[in-house]
Amino acid sequence: MLIECGDAECLHDQVGALVQRAEAVEGMDVEFHACEGMVHVFPLFYPFCKAESDPVQAFKRMAQFGDRVWGTLQSTLSAMDHARSGFDGLE
């Protein structure tokens, strides 16, 4: 289970409780990332952000997780690059 959460997330406490409950399940693989200053759905901001930003890094972690589960990393990263290409002037 991959969980991405910003420390400014409106559901931060509930996400923390979810992480604790998931980690208590025997055999459950939990990967949790809390990003400083990020809000609800922050990974969706990746097209507007610099490559080293938390939203882009979170989206890449989600793509890598999807690859481990479904085997689609390359197509996801290609889609990310395509989506970001329309916002190159913002960096």
Side-chain angles (χ1 to χ4, degrees), residues 19-30:
V19 170
Q20 288 179 343
R21 291 184 77 178
E23 289 175 336
V25 175
E26 186 174 334
M28 175 70 75
D29 182 21
V30 179

Side-chain angles (χ1 to χ4, degrees), residues 18-83:
L18 171 65
V19 170
Q20 288 179 343
R21 291 184 77 178
E23 289 175 336
V25 175
E26 186 174 334
M28 175 70 75
D29 182 21
V30 179
E31 183 179 338
F32 174 60
H33 300 274
C35 298
E36 185 178 343
M38 295 293 110
V39 297
H40 191 68
V41 302
F42 75 93
L44 295 180
F45 302 141
Y46 80 88
F48 311 105
C49 299
K50 294 185 179 189
E52 66 278 359
S53 69
D54 285 330
V56 172
Q57 296 306 309
F59 204 94
K60 286 182 179 181
R61 286 190 294 267
M62 290 187 293
Q64 291 165 346
F65 179 80
D67 184 49
R68 288 195 307 269
V69 175
W70 300 295
T72 60
L73 175 62
Q74 198 53 49
S75 61
T76 303
L77 290 176
S78 294
M80 271 180 67
D81 289 341
H82 179 72

